[in-house]
Amino acid sequence: MESLHSEVETHEKIINQLRGVVDPELGSDIVDLGMVKDVLIKNEGHLHLTIALTTSGCPLRAQIQKDVHAKMRSIVEINRVTIDWTELSDDERAKTMDRARFNLSKEEIATQIPKSTKSIMIASGKGGVGKSSVTANLATGLAARGLTVGVLDADIWGFSIPQMLGFEGRLAGNEETQKIVPLEKRIGDGTLKVVSMGFLVDENKSSLNWRGLILNRAVRHFLEDVEWGDLDYLVIDMPPGTGDVQMGLAKMLPRSDMIVVTTPSKTVQTVASRVASMAQSYYLRIAGVIENMTSFINEDGKKYEIFGSGGGAQLAEELGVPLLGSIPIDPIVSQSSDNGSPIVLEDGHASEALNAIVDEIIHSAVPRINPVDCTAHNTLETPVSIKND
Ligand code: ADP
């Protein structure tokens, strides 16, 4: 009786964790989409899962697999996981699609962000850890690889993206479409499109005493009323911590991935994990952790761990996600931010670390959705209302 009870409890934990695994293409969790076909706990904590995909050849399988393993690591009763992959039948696939469309129409506001855009929230527990510097550099690095990248500066109180990316000017409107047009810049073969509160207020020093809900409306306008056009990635500089704006964005962009920036310090790691919990409670996928200000490397190559060590790796372990990289302290990061020319385009230790992270994002952590790879994608473009049964 006792063991039956604990087995039911473990089963429940497994299902709850699997609810945090989102099919990156369909934007809903794999339990809700009916893709988890069998959960079998064998002897000695060996879990056997059967998961059905929309198409067996879908390249997003690797990501789902990684996420399932990461989630299962948090269940102490499970020490080994094997997954059998199958394909949904035509009927099941139709139901899954209806479900996904229903979920999207219910949760998502009608943003101007194309469905094929991968949006990445760059978040941190507190200010000053380098979240905006990381946002500016990753966005520039992605654009330098020939991609079209939107940057949404949602750090409304402390906007610094315009200066870091070397943008000056005002947001203008398109008379025909009545939409706001982002400021644009070419980086190599790619493009950066930027929207920030900094393009609306008179000068950087203007104090914004707006309350949370008003700020949330402002961010919502940036998603609904900006003519973003085609985008491969949307990189969002989140305000630090877990306030109204962060929760609003999590609701408005339920298919977004989050990257958490922390420093090696234990205190920063603890507050960063709160942001991660907020993301998880909205079923956002956490794609990884970046440790910034890892160490200072002098001209002789000697390392000084000024802010301690290990905070990033520990947070990544705690969240069951990869540590995407560690960026050393380098005064040039700060100087290049002030000059509006991100370090990722230059040489040096910090630049190498940032470029490696950009490659990791494209190839593994947050790969782009290629609509021709998975058949499901196109049917999601028109949301429909169905009964929630
Ligand atoms: P946040 O967005 O978390 O508040 P910022 O990106 O504004 O943090 O960074 C805070 C300060 O630290 C800025 O002056 C920035 O130039 C500097 N900085 C960020 N990362 C590094 C780094 N790796 N090395 C040196 N200075 C850095």
Side-chain angles (χ1 to χ4, degrees):
M1 192 64 190
E2 179 67 21
S3 88
L4 178 65
H5 179 70
S6 65
E7 202 168 304
V8 170
E9 259 183 15
T10 311
H11 190 275
E12 222 166 78
K13 279 189 209 165
I14 294 166
I15 294 292
N16 278 338
Q17 283 298 320
L18 289 175
R19 283 189 193 283
V21 178
V22 171
D23 180 305
E25 185 192 24
L26 302 179
S28 292
D29 74 79
I30 58 173
V31 176
D32 189 49
L33 291 175
M35 294 162 80
V36 178
K37 293 294 171 199
D38 197 21
V39 176
L40 184 65
I41 309 161
K42 294 186 178 169
N43 289 337
E44 291 162 17
H46 181 182
L47 169 65
H48 199 98
L49 292 172
T50 308
I51 298 176
L53 299 171
T54 46
T55 50
S56 59
C58 184
L60 297 171
R61 170 174 138 177
Q63 190 172 331
I64 297 176
Q65 182 171 12
K66 210 162 50 175
D67 291 351
V68 168
H69 282 284
K71 291 285 173 195
M72 292 306 111
R73 244 178 271 139
S74 67
I75 304 177
V76 285
E77 294 86 344
I78 302 299
N79 53 40
R80 197 175 145 214
V81 181
T82 38
I83 308 174
D84 258 354
W85 299 98
T86 61
E87 198 173 85
L88 294 169
S89 68
D90 288 348
D91 262 7
E92 288 172 330
R93 191 178 302 117
K95 277 196 190 125
T96 298
M97 288 297 136
D98 280 348
R99 185 76 202 160
R101 273 181 296 198
F102 172 73
N103 286 348
L104 287 179
S105 63
K106 188 177 57 166
E107 288 172 19
E108 227 167 355
I109 58 162
T111 70
Q112 295 293 313
I113 315 293
K115 294 274 187 287
S116 55
T117 301
K118 284 303 298 182
S119 77
I120 310 175
M121 297 173 175
I122 312 290
S124 70
K126 64 196 274 296
V129 301
K131 172 184 54 60
S132 302
S133 312
V134 167
T135 306
N137 277 288
L138 295 185
T140 304
L142 288 166
R145 283 155 180 77
L147 301 172
T148 305
V149 184
V151 183
L152 170 59
D153 186 0
D155 192 350
I156 291 189
W157 295 273
F159 54 84
S160 48
I161 288 294
Q163 173 157 20
M164 287 184 175
L165 289 175
F167 275 83
E168 265 180 46
R170 284 267 169 278
L171 290 174
N174 177 336
E175 299 237 326
E176 222 170 276
T177 58
Q178 294 289 302
K179 298 274 178 215
I180 302 165
V181 185
L183 266 62
E184 259 188 62
K185 192 192 251 189
R186 293 286 290 168
I187 306 277
D189 289 337
T191 304
L192 278 181
K193 300 184 184 183
V194 182
V195 167
S196 168
M197 202 53 129
F199 301 146
L200 291 173
V201 297
D202 271 342
E203 52 178 308
N204 279 359
K205 293 178 193 78
S206 299
S207 67
L208 283 174
N209 290 323
W210 298 2
R211 302 264 301 282
L213 284 175
I214 300 177
L215 293 176
N216 199 21
R217 288 292 315 166
V219 172
R220 191 172 170 138
H221 279 301
F222 286 164
L223 295 173
E224 283 178 326
D225 299 324
V226 170
E227 207 168 65
W228 287 100
D230 279 343
L231 290 180
D232 294 304
Y233 284 95
L234 175 70
V235 187
I236 305 172
D237 188 13
M238 300 283 277
T242 55
D244 287 339
V245 173
Q246 294 85 328
M247 284 190 263
L249 273 164
K251 274 195 222 153
M252 288 183 261
L253 294 172
R255 288 185 292 166
S256 204
D257 286 13
M258 181 179 274
I259 292 178
V260 185
V261 181
T262 189
T263 69
S265 132
K266 288 273 149 37
T267 334
V268 177
Q269 178 208 331
T270 313
V271 287
S273 78
R274 272 182 231 142
V275 174
S277 319
M278 179 210 82
Q280 280 162 334
S281 63
Y282 284 97
Y283 298 118
L284 293 185
R285 177 177 172 270
I286 300 178
V289 169
I290 294 177
E291 188 182 80
N292 188 31
M293 308 188 187
T294 293
S295 52
F296 175 72
I297 306 170
N298 76 4
E299 279 173 5
D300 305 327
K302 194 160 186 263
K303 272 190 186 175
Y304 297 89
E305 289 173 338
I306 294 171
F307 296 123
S309 68
Q314 272 172 27
L315 180 61
E317 162 115 40
E318 189 189 309
L319 302 175
V321 299
L323 176 66
L324 300 175
S326 302
I327 307 160
I329 300 169
D330 188 340
I332 304 172
V333 174
S334 181
Q335 287 155 20
S336 56
S337 287
D338 291 349
N339 299 336
S341 51
I343 181 84
V344 74
L345 299 176
E346 315 282 329
D347 293 327
H349 296 298
S351 170
E352 270 169 35
L354 282 158
N355 275 295
I357 297 171
V358 173
D359 289 332
E360 178 77 11
I361 288 177
I362 296 176
H363 297 301
S364 153
V366 194
R368 278 184 302 150
I369 296 172
N370 184 351
V372 295
D373 286 340
C374 293
T375 52
H377 176 78
N378 293 331
T379 59
L380 287 177
E381 292 292 335
T382 13
V384 293
S385 281
I386 59 162
K387 267 212 168 113
N388 186 5
D389 53 10

